[in-house]
Amino acid sequence: MELVLGFIFSFLSTVGFGIITNVPRRVLFLAGVTGACGWTVYLLTVQVTGNIILQNFLAALTIGLLGNVSAILIKAPVNMMYVPGLVSLVPGIIIYTSLKEFTLGNYLNAGRNLIKTLVIAMAIDIGFAIAEAIFRRIRRRLSRHNRGKKTKSVLD
């Protein structure tokens, strides 16, 4: 039940953030599904391991791969999938706690939270970079496969 609710609320938060950031209506549904799938992978990984790096990495990898596929399907820039899809992964509470601890003079706790935030951001970035590298190879193979055909591909 937790996974279903996580999927639904992540879908809604992704679509809501997409509306706030003026993502076109035709992109909202697939962006929502992409973000919700990324969050579901995050929740599944939480059940398997307590490693916050792996959780964010796999979720970002999922959003990266699905975002690229979705962008091609609806012929939209992939950033329109990435930005709303990331809203669930942003470590906002950790950043907030870090700043609160810093203002209260608890520099050790503030530093720990800041490092945790940076590690999460790096895991997300690496997940997206690997997704882009994987998809670039897939796109090339699909383009090569379609070159000999007279019909125009969606990828061209």
Side-chain angles (χ1 to χ4, degrees), residues 57 60-61 64 82 123-136:
F57 169 75
L61 184 66
Y82 281 178
I124 292 170
D125 186 43
I126 292 169
F128 277 131
I130 290 175
E132 288 291 331
I134 290 170
F135 200 76
R136 190 174 304 137

Side-chain angles (χ1 to χ4, degrees), residues 131-144:
E132 288 291 331
I134 290 170
F135 200 76
R136 190 174 304 137
R137 289 184 165 242
I138 293 171
R139 183 178 291 164
R140 283 184 197 155
R141 287 184 184 165
L142 289 173
S143 295
R144 280 188 220 143

Side-chain angles (χ1 to χ4, degrees), residues 53-67:
I53 298 169
L54 184 62
Q55 296 161 5
N56 284 283
F57 169 75
L58 291 176
L61 184 66
T62 302
I63 291 170
L65 291 172
L66 291 177

Side-chain angles (χ1 to χ4, degrees), residues 85-101:
L86 270 176
V87 77
S88 299
L89 297 180
V90 172
I93 191 68
I94 302 170
I95 296 169
Y96 170 78
T97 304
S98 180
L99 291 174
K100 183 180 92 175
E101 294 290 334

Side-chain angles (χ1 to χ4, degrees), residues 38-148:
W39 184 248
T40 302
V41 167
Y42 181 91
L43 292 176
L44 288 170
T45 311
V46 166
Q47 293 175 359
V48 175
T49 181
N51 188 342
I52 199 162
I53 298 169
L54 184 62
Q55 296 161 5
N56 284 283
F57 169 75
L58 291 176
L61 184 66
T62 302
I63 291 170
L65 291 172
L66 291 177
N68 274 297
V69 170
S70 299
I72 284 178
L73 288 175
I74 59 174
K75 297 180 182 177
V78 73
N79 289 344
M80 289 185 182
M81 301 293 170
Y82 281 178
V83 173
L86 270 176
V87 77
S88 299
L89 297 180
V90 172
I93 191 68
I94 302 170
I95 296 169
Y96 170 78
T97 304
S98 180
L99 291 174
K100 183 180 92 175
E101 294 290 334
F102 181 74
T103 57
L104 293 174
N106 301 329
Y107 301 118
L108 188 60
N109 288 337
R112 284 185 191 140
N113 286 330
L114 183 60
I115 290 171
K116 190 175 184 180
T117 301
L118 293 174
V119 167
I120 290 170
M122 287 174 45
I124 292 170
D125 186 43
I126 292 169
F128 277 131
I130 290 175
E132 288 291 331
I134 290 170
F135 200 76
R136 190 174 304 137
R137 289 184 165 242
I138 293 171
R139 183 178 291 164
R140 283 184 197 155
R141 287 184 184 165
L142 289 173
S143 295
R144 280 188 220 143
H145 178 69
N146 289 328
R147 278 187 192 152

